[in-house]
Amino acid sequence: DILVNAGTIGPANAVLIPGTTLIRNVFGLTESHYRWRNDDGGETGSEGWYNVNWPLRKQLTLDGSLVSGSSPLTDFPILVSYTDAELRHTTSGGKTANINGYDIIFTDSGGTPIKLDHEIQRYNPATGEIIMWVRMPTLTPGADTNIYIYYGNPAISISQENKSGLWNTGYEAVLHLQESGGGVNDEFKDSAVNGHHGTGGGIAGGG
């Protein structure tokens, strides 16, 4: 058992880590690996945690049956779009620490997780709605891929996005067209590196 501030954690109230439990019969000793959770389900102390400053994460599974083609896709941007009450800002009863959603990041599921390039297209702190683009290093047809979404880091005050890593030089322009279209010059922002911004409202653009 492990003594912690709020009591004792052991096999009776910990969660056995599936697939990574080790049984070793060395001098008659048996070793098992466990992780434990805080009350709201965020995992701490488990193998493969990206950074202890992010106390919460959830696993997202990408359905391999929806990956087209017969060869793996590399550096492929995926759209992560859903609403989760836990992703609301703390002032709205959620767990996200930054009002702009800057503490929301994505990693792969490797033993030493790697942060994935992403862009925030929309974050609603009141509802927990996210619309974010994430660069997947590899997607294989027919094989599910797991990634993690991390959140809840109160130390984050600036964006963790990497648009230039997500939309690399292979993209001439990426415009989400979410702006109002009021005719302001270069209003429609190009997320790619070339800066081909556009202007709405029927006025010739400068991009």
Side-chain angles (χ1 to χ4, degrees):
D1 288 356
I2 301 173
L3 183 64
V4 294
N5 290 337
T8 301
I9 293 176
N13 56 1
V15 180
L16 197 62
I17 301 176
T20 60
T21 301
L22 301 179
I23 305 298
R24 296 176 180 169
N25 293 315
V26 180
F27 303 111
L29 299 178
T30 300
E31 175 185 330
S32 297
H33 286 188
Y34 292 86
R35 65 184 175 195
W36 55 91
R37 300 173 182 267
N38 57 22
D39 290 341
D40 60 11
E43 301 170 344
T44 59
S46 60
E47 287 288 328
W49 201 267
Y50 172 67
N51 187 304
V52 295
N53 292 319
W54 272 271
L56 303 168
R57 77 178 183 184
K58 291 187 176 183
Q59 180 176 286
L60 306 178
T61 299
L62 311 180
D63 188 346
S65 68
L66 301 179
V67 179
S68 62
S70 57
S71 301
L73 306 177
T74 58
D75 294 332
F76 190 86
I78 64 167
L79 178 63
V80 178
S81 177
Y82 73 107
T83 300
D84 185 334
E86 279 206 358
L87 295 181
R88 294 176 296 176
H89 187 250
T90 53
T91 56
S92 295
K95 305 294 184 182
T96 298
N98 184 274
I99 194 68
N100 298 306
Y102 289 163
D103 59 307
I104 298 175
I105 63 171
F106 301 85
T107 75
D108 66 8
S109 59
T112 303
I114 298 173
K115 182 177 175 292
L116 303 175
D117 299 326
H118 78 286
E119 178 191 8
I120 301 172
Q121 181 176 337
R122 180 186 303 166
Y123 170 66
N124 188 323
T127 65
E129 177 194 20
I130 65 170
I131 300 178
M132 301 185 180
W133 296 87
V134 181
R135 181 183 64 84
M136 295 300 302
T138 304
L139 286 174
T140 302
D144 292 351
T145 302
N146 294 325
I147 62 174
Y148 284 101
I149 178 171
Y150 283 78
Y151 54 101
N153 184 347
I156 297 299
S157 60
I158 61 175
S159 174
Q160 304 298 295
E161 299 168 272
N162 184 9
K163 297 179 185 179
S164 62
L166 172 64
W167 310 111
N168 56 37
T169 54
Y171 294 87
E172 186 65 29
V174 177
L175 292 87
H176 300 302
L177 304 180
Q178 62 186 353
E179 295 82 1
S180 63
V184 179
N185 193 45
D186 288 349
E187 176 184 13
F188 294 106
K189 298 302 182 184
D190 179 10
S191 293
V193 297
N194 295 309
H196 294 317
H197 308 308
T199 300
I203 301 176

